[in-house]
Amino acid sequence: MTTEHGDNREDVRMHHGKRCAKKELLQVEFRLIEYPGEFHIGCYSYPFKYTLPSNLPGVFFHKHADQKPGSNWEACVKYFIKAELEITDGSNSLVCEEPLVIYGHSAATEEKPPEMYRSTDSVKTFCCIPRGDVSIKASLSQVTYGAGDKAFVQLEIANNSAVEIRSFVMKVIRVIKLLGKDPSRNEEQSKVHCVVDTVAQSFHRGCKNNSIVSSGIPIQLAQVSDTETLLFPPSTRATTVSCHYVVDLDMYVPWAPAIEMHIPLLIKPCKNIVWEKWTAPSWTQECKTAPVVDDCVVTPDVIASNIFNSLPGFDSSL
């Protein structure tokens, strides 16, 4: 927005642009097998392995549409795996591409017990007269949740003051940061656009003076209406887009500052729906396992594991 001041008047002109950004996070290509001679007719399977970098951000997709200028945006982090059969006689290559779901955290993260958060604050009437202390202990029931799940906050309030806590509010705050440039304005540096939303909120009764209250509070990780259910987008930390959640507890104390607590909330992506809906053709049961290059070889113990045993086209007898 530019503003020009004249004699007793102000001329305001709005500039609307479009910031965008794109970054390739990973591109790896390798040959699994070559047939220098004849490629015999038949059905073949090619089990292979590849270790993904540990710092890859999780998949993400979300868009927001609004009539307000500058409020429309869309962002995604996506991966896919592509198999290509090259044919050297001039025919077109055969290509198959499937989406790949990557979590932004390791499996070890989900195995950890939920962290207990503690806070103790002094209750001071008019910010100066001490009336005792209030202690809060809170933890989530799990370390990670899937989009659409119901999370639970285990909460204990020990009101050791002479003042009654009338109520408290629990909120889920989502912070999305977008990084991009506006080509129409010849911007040399990318700028950050931060979007902060309260995506869930509930009010609860407080705690009387000199008493202890324990409760489990559910949080639906989706916005549910009569016509649709909108799942919360997953947490991610990519270069051009990041999304994280915080559970905020605000306790209202008469004539005193509010008592607060902030708990990080990690939401993981949904499962690969495309893969779950895929039905294996009958010929996959007749596949012969073909050896691949050394770096990608899957050892027999892995092929015999439940991971491969559950995939159509592979079984432990191969």
Side-chain angles (χ1 to χ4, degrees):
M1 180 178 71
T2 60
T3 304
E4 295 182 359
H5 297 275
D7 297 335
N8 299 321
R9 70 184 181 88
E10 185 179 71
D11 182 21
V12 179
R13 290 176 293 171
M14 300 294 294
H15 176 87
H16 302 299
K18 180 180 180 181
R19 285 197 174 93
C20 55
K22 184 178 181 180
K23 183 175 182 179
E24 191 172 83
L25 301 171
L26 176 70
Q27 182 178 7
V28 180
E29 181 178 328
F30 47 87
R31 291 181 178 272
L32 291 179
I33 194 170
E34 292 191 12
Y35 293 95
E38 184 178 1
F39 184 18
H40 296 284
I41 294 176
C43 302
Y44 301 90
S45 62
Y46 302 89
F48 71 94
K49 69 175 181 181
Y50 174 75
T51 303
L52 294 167
S54 59
N55 60 345
L56 288 177
V59 296
F60 177 87
F61 175 76
H62 192 62
K63 64 179 179 180
H64 183 267
D66 200 312
Q67 295 181 352
K68 297 180 181 179
S71 298
N72 298 325
W73 59 270
E74 181 176 329
C76 72
V77 178
K78 61 181 180 180
Y79 302 88
F80 61 88
I81 183 169
K82 181 169 68 175
E84 182 174 355
L85 178 61
E86 296 179 346
I87 303 175
T88 58
D89 64 354
S91 303
N92 293 330
S93 299
L94 300 178
V95 180
C96 179
E97 183 178 301
E98 294 293 338
L100 182 65
V101 174
I102 292 180
Y103 290 5
H105 60 275
S106 65
T109 301
E110 299 193 28
E111 296 174 358
K112 296 179 180 179
E115 184 175 351
M116 177 67 72
Y117 293 85
R118 294 177 170 85
S119 177
T120 299
D121 289 305
S122 297
V123 177
K124 296 182 179 180
T125 305
F126 302 112
C127 300
C128 60
I129 304 175
R131 302 297 300 276
D133 296 329
V134 174
S135 297
I136 307 172
K137 292 195 298 183
S139 67
L140 292 167
S141 56
Q142 299 174 198
V143 176
T144 64
Y145 295 92
D149 287 353
K150 182 175 289 186
F152 283 89
V153 178
Q154 306 297 331
L155 178 66
E156 181 181 294
I157 306 171
N159 186 0
N160 300 314
S161 74
V163 180
E164 179 183 357
I165 299 174
R166 294 179 179 176
S167 63
F168 67 90
V169 60
M170 180 176 293
K171 302 177 182 178
V172 177
I173 309 296
R174 180 179 66 210
V175 180
I176 295 178
K177 293 182 179 180
L178 307 167
L179 183 67
K181 297 180 182 180
D182 186 350
S184 66
R185 304 183 69 177
N186 298 319
E187 293 180 341
E188 295 182 358
Q189 294 184 345
S190 298
K191 296 185 178 180
V192 177
H193 178 60
C194 187
V195 183
V196 181
D197 292 312
T198 299
V199 295
Q201 180 173 280
S202 59
F203 295 87
H204 307 272
R205 296 183 60 180
C207 181
K208 294 183 178 181
N209 53 304
N210 298 314
S211 63
I212 299 176
V213 172
S214 299
S215 61
I217 302 173
I219 304 175
Q220 188 69 48
L221 302 181
Q223 293 178 330
V224 181
S225 66
D226 295 336
T227 57
E228 61 180 351
T229 299
L230 300 176
L231 304 181
F232 292 169
S235 309
T236 192
R237 293 188 180 276
T239 305
T240 56
V241 57
S242 66
C243 175
H244 69 272
Y245 296 85
V246 177
V247 177
D248 273 10
L249 291 172
D250 293 326
M251 299 193 176
Y252 301 115
V253 183
W255 312 106
I259 300 172
E260 301 178 349
M261 176 174 280
H262 313 286
I263 307 173
L265 173 64
L266 182 60
I267 299 180
K268 58 187 178 182
C270 297
K271 295 181 179 180
N272 193 334
I273 299 176
V274 175
W275 178 257
E276 287 188 335
K277 292 183 177 180
W278 183 73
T279 302
S282 58
W283 55 263
T284 58
Q285 304 303 323
E286 304 174 5
C287 284
K288 299 177 181 178
T289 301
V292 298
V293 294
D294 291 342
D295 293 341
C296 300
V297 168
V298 181
T299 56
D301 60 315
V302 174
I303 293 181
S305 67
N306 291 331
I307 297 176
F308 264 76
N309 223 353
S310 61
L311 298 179
F314 299 97
D315 62 63
S316 58
S317 62
L318 296 179

